[in-house]
Structures are given as structure tokens and as C-alpha cells.
Amino acid sequence: MVNKKKRHHLLRLLLVFFSMNVVWYIAYLLINHTILPSPLAVYSALIHLEGKEIWLHVCYSLFRIFAGVLLALMIGMSIGLIMGRSRIWNKILDPVVYLTYPIPKIALLPVVMLFFGLGEISKILMIMLILLFQVIISVRDGVKAIPDNTYDVLTSIGASTTQKFWHVTLPGALSVILSTIRISLGTAISVLFFTEIYGTEHGMGFFIMDAWLRMDYTEMYAGIMLFSLVGFVLFLLVDYLDYKFMKWRN
């Protein structure tokens, strides 16, 4: 039954992918201009990108994404757990979170670059800022949603605070963390693209903009396709982690 569902899901993905390429090809025929190359030309360019240090660009982008996500998880989980388990800290930090959360984080890019320069730190910090508040709020709400009698049961059998954390609090928080990362990942990758335009010679954002400036539109679209593929693989990785660690939900 599970394998059948996976096959149907894969078939739907392939059908959508095929349909998107058909629409793309029709648009290519209608526009009939170099600004929109055919899908076959882009896929051919994608295959031949390896000679242009493309994997170095991919590795730089992946490092920035993973570093930003890791920072957001470390800080966000700590604050969210404190807010979720302590009413006093929740009252203190709740106004701070709600006043700063609505600020569009992409608007802080010039400020971050002023304080931390154009190097790696500013790029990583921007990704961290995008994810941080979602992680804080999700973890806090996830911990609050855990029924108190769950802890009472563990207390009655002599469980320690650490055991309560590992067996109740963390699983409850992890579920919402993975959902938050899945939702925010696309935004984080978009922000990464903007940050890689400035002060760097490596990264997928730089590669795409460099191709655009050279008016090599086929290579530009190939870079966009590869960047999208990186995001898709990261999305699948989060799905795998959800399947691996959240089996108890089924």
C-alpha cells in the first residue's frame, strides 16, 4: 500500500514536470527570442556546466544554507524551549518576538552588510534571521501544546528531567521544527540568492547573475534550474528526516 502511494506520488511529480516543460516550450515558440531558450537547450547547457567550476558554486551555497539553518536551530530551539516551558520567560520574550517578527528580514540586508561586511558572515546571518523567528514561535507553540499529564505520567514512573526532555519535549518540538524548515527553506534560498550577488565570486546567485550580465541566457537558465534542483534536494532531505524521526505520528 505504501509503495503504491509512493508510485502515485512519483507519477504525479513526473506529470507536473512534463506539463511545465510543455508550457515552457510553447512560450519559447511564441516569444521566439534569445531571452527564453528552449528547454532542450537549457538541459543541454545544464549537463555541460561541470567545466565551469559549478560544483564550487554549489558547495559555497550549500555551506551558507547549512550554516544559517544550524545557527537558527541552535538559537531558535533554545529560546523556544525556554518560552514554552517557562511562563515567566514567555511573558518577557513574547513581546520582543512579536514586535520583531513582522519586520521584513530582506530589508535588513543593507544593515547586516554594514555591520558585518560583504563576506560569509553577513550571508549566513541573513539566512539565520529568516528562519530564527519561525523556529522560536513553532518550538514554543509545539512545547505548549504538549499536555501536562504527559509529564505527570513520566514523573510517576520516576523519569528524570533529561528523560522528559528527550522522550516528550524534543519530539513535540521536532515535529514543528521540521515543518517550519520545510516552509521557510524556499524563502531562505531566495535570500541567499540576493546575498550572493554582492561581495563574492562564488555561489549560485553569483553564477546566475554573471551569466545574465554576459547575456548568456541559456547558461543563466541552466543555473536557475540547478539552483532549483538544490532546493528540491534539500526539501526532500527534510521530508526524509520527518519520515525517519516522526514515525510515532503515524
Side-chain angles (χ1 to χ4, degrees), residues 39-59:
L40 292 177
V42 172
Y43 291 133
S44 177
L46 183 62
I47 294 172
H48 294 92
L49 282 180
E50 57 181 338
K52 301 180 180 294
E53 299 183 338
I54 190 63
W55 295 115
L56 184 62
H57 293 294
V58 171
C59 288

Side-chain angles (χ1 to χ4, degrees), residues 52-80:
K52 301 180 180 294
E53 299 183 338
I54 190 63
W55 295 115
L56 184 62
H57 293 294
V58 171
C59 288
Y60 266 89
S61 293
L62 284 175
F63 167 73
R64 291 159 183 161
I65 292 172
F66 280 120
V69 170
L70 184 62
L71 271 177
L73 289 176
M74 289 172 60
I75 299 172
M77 280 188 65
S78 300
I79 298 174

Side-chain angles (χ1 to χ4, degrees), residues 8-19 232 236:
H8 287 170
H9 182 64
L10 180 60
L11 286 174
R12 286 196 299 270
L13 287 176
L14 292 174
L15 179 61
V16 171
F17 179 74
F18 177 76
S19 301
F232 181 69
L236 290 179

